[in-house]
Amino acid sequence: MNKKISFVGCGKMAQAIIGGILKSNLVNPRQIIASARTELTLEDVKNRWEIQTRSSNIEAAKEADILFLAIKPDGHGAVIDEIKNSINSQAIIITIAAGISLSFLEQSFGRKIKAVRSMPNTPSLVGEGMSVLSANESVTPEDMEEVIKIFSCIGKAAVMEEKMMDAIPAISGSSPAYVYMFIEALADGGVKAGLSRDQSYQLAAQAVLGAAKMVLETGKHPAELKDEVCTPGGATIEAVAELERKGFRASVLSAMEQCFDKTKALSGKN
């Protein structure tokens, strides 16, 4: 890819994307530029990847063909106001923050821009992310292909209509936190049964990883896969019945609704 990719903000998610891009050899380190609030962060990423760094957001933004706004939702207004007169008119602007709408980006820049709203998740840090993308009408199919290539460096990427974006944090953006809680609970059960903590985490995490791959690679319905584990009169069906009695599914659905409502509230502000 013959593009310069800039990051305004260089936290964990930005670093995951940078690492994935370079590991995939999509661009070379000299094509990546980053700015950050602290010199310590800039020094760290420069030493790790030999990318270019800038102490000024304006300097990072004006060189970009593709610009990531890798900042918190409430920081977008001030940062956009700072850089909006410095960006290339053909630059693709990508936000990775929850609740930042395409219309908010357009209004904040005060002119037509190529804008992409994205929702990656933290497994991107290990190359197993799920990113959902939505673009405004100024983004061409060719532009979108390049954006997809970038996000494919950290896992899988899907394009959806923006009206669906507020639902994404609940199902893929925030859901790793629910899964970590599930893994922790499984591990606690293992410890209670006499296994070591390390053994319990390894067994629980691998079981979750394997189950997820079964869903993705077999194409079978999760209910069918669940039934295959539950032998008649066996231990697994007893566990499943207890999860149902305790409202396992209802709890997950309720948590997702709370997450969705919060994201909608953020979108209302942005």
Side-chain angles (χ1 to χ4, degrees):
M1 181 184 292
N2 187 27
K3 301 286 185 180
K4 284 193 173 181
I5 305 172
S6 290
F7 292 81
V8 172
C10 205
K12 287 184 179 180
M13 188 56 66
Q15 291 180 36
I17 297 169
I18 291 169
I21 289 170
L22 295 177
K23 187 176 181 180
S24 301
N25 295 313
L26 188 64
V27 300
N28 67 61
R30 301 299 298 169
Q31 291 172 259
I32 298 178
I33 305 161
S35 63
R37 287 189 298 178
T38 69
E39 288 296 327
L40 186 63
T41 298
L42 292 180
E43 184 178 349
D44 177 49
V45 297
K46 187 173 184 178
N47 290 338
R48 196 186 322 171
W49 291 304
E50 298 183 345
I51 65 172
Q52 298 190 63
T53 59
R54 302 286 185 269
S55 56
S56 162
N57 291 335
I58 293 173
E59 291 298 313
K62 75 179 183 180
E63 299 180 60
D65 296 305
I66 299 172
L67 175 64
F68 279 86
L69 299 177
I71 50 180
K72 293 180 180 180
D74 60 4
H76 275 63
V79 168
I80 291 172
D81 192 55
E82 177 187 5
I83 68 173
K84 65 183 180 182
N85 296 320
S86 303
I87 65 166
N88 182 328
S89 61
Q90 292 302 304
I92 303 169
I93 314 298
I94 304 172
T95 178
I96 63 174
I100 298 297
S101 67
L102 295 173
S103 61
F104 173 81
L105 291 175
E106 292 167 347
Q107 291 166 11
S108 297
F109 276 95
R111 56 187 170 86
K112 280 200 169 187
I113 59 167
K114 294 183 176 185
V116 175
R117 181 177 175 182
S118 73
M119 189 71 249
N121 62 9
T122 56
S124 301
L125 292 162
V126 293
E128 292 291 348
M130 183 66 241
S131 301
V132 180
L133 315 171
S134 181
N136 70 357
E137 60 184 13
S138 297
V139 176
T140 67
E142 293 75 20
D143 292 332
M144 205 60 189
E145 281 182 19
E146 294 189 323
V147 174
I148 291 169
K149 283 180 183 178
I150 292 173
F151 282 95
S152 295
C153 293
I154 55 171
K156 299 186 184 298
V159 178
M160 295 187 183
E161 294 180 67
E162 189 183 15
K163 66 182 181 180
M164 303 305 301
M165 289 297 287
D166 286 334
I168 300 308
I171 190 167
S172 68
S174 300
S175 62
Y178 326 153
V179 177
Y180 299 143
M181 293 175 70
F182 180 53
I183 290 171
E184 184 181 26
L186 288 174
D188 284 346
V191 172
K192 186 177 179 182
L195 296 171
S196 72
R197 177 64 64 181
D198 287 346
Q199 288 173 326
S200 295
Y201 278 131
Q202 182 181 19
L203 292 169
Q206 183 62 38
V208 170
L209 174 62
K213 290 192 74 172
M214 288 286 285
V215 172
L216 292 172
E217 294 182 10
T218 66
K220 293 182 178 180
H221 193 286
E224 182 181 357
L225 292 170
K226 180 261 295 178
D227 288 349
E228 289 175 359
V229 187
C230 296
T231 55
T236 304
I237 192 61
E238 288 292 339
V240 168
E242 182 64 10
L243 287 172
E244 295 287 15
R245 280 193 292 268
K246 298 296 186 184
F248 181 71
R249 295 174 197 248
S251 294
V252 173
L253 288 169
S254 179
M256 292 178 70
E257 287 173 4
Q258 292 293 318
C259 187
F260 175 69
D261 289 345
K262 180 65 175 182
T263 304
K264 286 286 287 183
L266 287 171
S267 293
K269 295 178 182 178
N270 299 308

